[in-house]
Amino acid sequence: MAPHYKLVLTTCENQDDAHQLAKQLIAQKLAACVNILPGVESVYMWQNEIVQQTETKLFIKTKADKISKMIQLIKELHSYEVPEIQVLDVNAGNLAYFHWMDEVLN
């Protein structure tokens, strides 16, 4: 299977922001499903300082043809100046799940 399906990772400052973003992604048919994991501890460098922060992680399931619009929407709605947006190829999995994604994202 070609990497037709994608998993997009991002973080939000809190659960409210994560829920709002997830609902917009679903409503605009840019994502079939978004898993929201609260309480993720992040440590990173920002403006020459080490930052330790609790964030909410999003695992976004989508298709390759949705990525450009999704990235644009995340950047527009996100509270961070530089939001994390990582796109991973999905190379195998449950074909029934992928068929469901196809139906949902049409």
Side-chain angles (χ1 to χ4, degrees):
M1 170 187 340
H4 178 70
Y5 301 96
K6 304 291 184 180
L7 177 64
V8 180
L9 306 176
T10 192
T11 52
C12 288
E13 187 173 4
N14 56 56
Q15 281 187 287
D16 289 338
D17 288 353
H19 286 115
Q20 289 177 8
L21 179 58
K23 288 176 184 177
Q24 283 296 316
L25 291 169
I26 298 295
Q28 295 189 34
K29 294 194 173 213
L30 297 175
C33 175
V34 180
N35 299 120
I36 300 172
L37 283 76
V40 174
E41 290 292 323
S42 298
V43 179
Y44 56 93
M45 184 69 72
W46 182 250
Q47 298 179 342
N48 296 319
E49 292 187 28
I50 296 174
V51 177
Q52 182 173 344
Q53 172 179 345
T54 302
E55 297 179 294
T56 300
K57 188 78 166 180
L58 283 75
F59 291 80
I60 306 164
K61 286 73 164 249
T62 193
K63 293 168 52 172
D65 63 349
K66 306 290 184 177
I67 293 299
S68 294
K69 288 182 182 177
M70 178 183 291
I71 290 171
Q72 181 180 344
L73 183 67
I74 292 172
K75 286 179 177 180
E76 287 174 13
L77 298 178
H78 213 286
S79 64
Y80 291 168
E81 184 179 333
V82 181
E84 169 196 4
I85 304 171
Q86 297 183 56
V87 180
L88 307 174
D89 291 339
V90 176
N91 294 309
N94 181 356
L95 292 179
Y97 187 83
F98 297 137
H99 291 299
W100 168 79
M101 286 179 63
D102 289 337
E103 290 176 20
V104 169
L105 294 174
N106 281 333

